[in-house]
Amino acid sequence: MHEHPGHEWWRTAVFYQLYPRSFQDSNGDGIGDLDGITRRLDYLNDGTRASLGIDAIWLSPTFPSPMKDFGYDVSDYTGVDPVFGDMAAMERLIAACHDRGIRVLLDFVPNHTSDQHPWFQESRASRTAARRDWYVWRDPLPGGGVPNNWVSAFGGPAWTFDEATGQYYLHSFLKEQPDLNWRNPEVEAAMHDVLRTWLDRGIDGFRIDVMGMVLKHPDLADNPPNPEWSEGHSDYRQFLWTNNRNYPDVYGAVRGIRRVLDEYEGRMAVGEVFGTPAEIANYYGGDALDGLHLAFNFQFIHESDLRGGFSAWDAPTIRRIIAASEEGLPAGAQPCWAFGNHDRPRFISRHNSDGRGDERARAGALILLGLRGSPFVYYGEEIGMVDQLDIPEERRQDPARHHSIWRDPARTPMQWDASPGRGFSRATPWLPFGPADISVAAQEHDPDSMLSLYRDAIWLRRQERALLEGTLELLPANDLTVAFIRRAPGARSVLVAVNTTGGTTTLPMPQPGRIIIATERTLDSSLAGSLLRLPPFSAAWVALE
Ligand code: NOJ
């Protein structure tokens, strides 16, 4: 029996992104693994209010990989990399999650494989190899140049010349990550079979890596220059990604993936996509909603990845992001929000130039969990982990640091306690830890901690039907405060308000209410008559009568 449309589990779920290398080491090699995650599941959800209470986890890639891009270079889509365990460990994890009602999403990487994948090995063997056309090969231009002006997301040309066969192959990321050719129906069929293999094993769904890149312009036409780029800036932004990202043919591939998921009951996919709200809307499949179940909206991280810089934490920006999302999505489609992930600096570190990042992050939690849509919490966000910038060169890991971005600071191990191994490992961790004073142990019994705020808000969200399924109405604009009301028929409405400034603000209440959670406990008394008083950087949820 299929779930009733509009009431699927993922619509009300709180998702948790877990970077498997950094969650819990169980075998003492300094790298997190699957059995480690299984051991920590009670922290994520033990069915009581004492746990975080999330509903689903997304594991960044766990497949066999040379780890040039830490698993985003897959050499076998259906296996488990020994660094994380084996298939039995994966089965144990899935079963233990399902026992607790936690759904499991894996990371599907359709755009590229590792250069060590047998498909690429075969493809590069000769120009007449049976799998030659599984990847994107082109002759040099007359005179010997690269086939077009596309740049790799990590910088430098997106093409590498293969001496043996005298052609270039396309790689939108590292040269060790050759792009698959999704115009070849055999490739699409093989990738669909990968999905089925995992769906048969009981996986609940997938996060899909760079979904918008799998189908490029059929003639691989040059990209137009980016008018906002100037000399000295990353070459990633030198051109608009017109012909190799969100190219209209991509939506056909999206529908094909959806059809595979629909062969099973209760499964879903969330796409990593970049673009304007209108482009993001396309990934849902338009009014037919026959595309992805969810597509990430990264605008709280950056409003445009081609412009550079990060989104500000101020009322006009927050309001603009919410309004654009509400206006942009087809009816029945639900936004999907993330305030951080393994590719970007952590929320607190992005908003800490005045040392108030922690306070903004507390308010951020109530916004993320109060918005209409699916919230994704990045591991450690719930205890206020910060970027670890102090990593000596010899311990740096991210290969992209040689090209464009350095992502190690946001990938450091989960901090379970203040001990030298942070409860993560007894060995030297693969990346250095962050500051010892940020840990689960320090926060779990403190009702004022970030962890308690997350637990309480996630628990409360589950009780408030308006938050789970209600509409969102933005209240009239004001440069200091953002407020919106969530309403569902037959349920009490909830107002979500945030003061983004360093001064106290007041908000006229549209109707009487009662604060049900706030970033600071002193707020309990700050709803006087028809005015809500919000201290600096605070946020609150108010149940309306
Ligand atoms: C996006 C992933 O999130 C990132 O970590 C990875 O490097 C690229 N895609 C390439 O797979």
Side-chain angles (χ1 to χ4, degrees), residues 166-336:
Q167 286 190 309
Y168 283 95
Y169 66 87
L170 178 67
H171 54 89
S172 298
F173 295 87
L174 297 175
K175 68 177 184 353
E176 294 87 357
Q177 293 170 294
D179 282 30
L180 282 162
N181 174 19
W182 272 68
R183 292 197 181 272
N184 180 335
E186 288 174 14
V187 169
E188 187 171 24
M191 295 304 277
H192 286 178
D193 282 344
V194 167
L195 295 172
R196 290 191 188 96
T197 300
W198 284 108
L199 293 166
D200 288 338
R201 290 177 182 154
I203 284 298
D204 300 286
F206 302 92
R207 175 264 190 185
I208 306 183
D209 192 63
V210 289
M211 183 67 235
M213 296 190 68
V214 297
L215 279 159
K216 290 91 175 167
H217 189 293
D219 303 326
L220 310 182
D222 276 352
N223 277 329
N226 178 1
E228 293 185 69
W229 182 83
S230 53
E231 204 66 52
H233 288 101
S234 160
D235 62 358
Y236 170 78
R237 302 197 174 89
Q238 192 174 352
F239 301 96
L240 300 176
W241 289 51
T242 312
N243 292 322
N244 57 346
R245 188 162 85 178
N246 304 336
Y247 191 76
D249 294 354
V250 153
Y251 307 117
V254 164
R255 290 192 172 87
I257 289 173
R258 173 60 181 261
R259 283 194 294 274
V260 175
L261 293 162
D262 282 348
E263 294 167 13
Y264 298 76
E265 207 215 309
R267 316 301 172 93
M268 57 84 62
V270 51
E272 185 205 26
V273 301
F274 298 93
T276 61
E279 285 170 317
I280 291 171
N282 287 329
Y283 285 92
Y284 289 85
D287 291 338
L289 294 183
D290 59 353
L292 301 180
H293 304 78
L294 295 171
F296 273 114
N297 181 322
F298 292 129
Q299 304 236 312
F300 282 107
I301 302 176
H302 46 63
E303 287 185 83
S304 162
D305 66 322
L306 291 176
R307 202 178 304 133
F310 295 109
S311 301
W313 187 252
D314 60 34
T317 305
I318 296 173
R319 160 176 290 280
R320 181 168 65 242
I321 292 171
I322 298 173
S325 164
E326 286 297 311
E327 282 156 24
L329 293 191
Q334 155 164 324
C336 174

Side-chain angles (χ1 to χ4, degrees), residues 390-458:
D390 189 13
I391 306 179
E393 178 56 37
E394 68 278 8
R395 294 199 60 191
R396 295 183 183 190
Q397 305 277 345
D398 182 11
R401 74 184 189 282
H402 299 300
H403 309 277
S404 51
I405 41 172
W406 181 42
R407 299 168 295 178
D408 294 331
R411 296 176 173 180
T412 60
M414 182 68 179
Q415 311 228 134
W416 297 102
D417 59 41
S419 69
R422 301 290 192 277
F424 166 75
S425 178
R426 32 179 215 279
T428 305
W430 77 288
L431 279 175
F433 296 116
D437 59 336
I438 302 172
S439 75
V440 172
Q443 299 187 20
E444 60 187 345
H445 302 300
D446 172 2
D448 292 325
S449 67
M450 185 85 80
L451 180 56
S452 295
L453 181 70
Y454 266 91
R455 284 175 176 168
D456 292 348
I458 291 174

Side-chain angles (χ1 to χ4, degrees), residues 55 281 356:
D55 304 284
R356 311 288 294 264

Side-chain angles (χ1 to χ4, degrees), residues 17 19 58 60 69 71-73 107 109 111-112 153-154 173-174 177 207 209-210 272 274 341-343 398 400 405 407 411:
Q17 180 193 354
Y19 200 65
W58 146 34
S60 284
D69 189 18
Y72 287 97
D73 48 324
D107 208 317
V109 189
N111 181 68
H112 44 268
F154 292 149
F173 295 87
L174 297 175
Q177 293 170 294
R207 175 264 190 185
D209 192 63
V210 289
E272 185 205 26
F274 298 93
N341 60 40
H342 63 294
D343 290 328
D398 182 11
I405 41 172
R407 299 168 295 178
R411 296 176 173 180

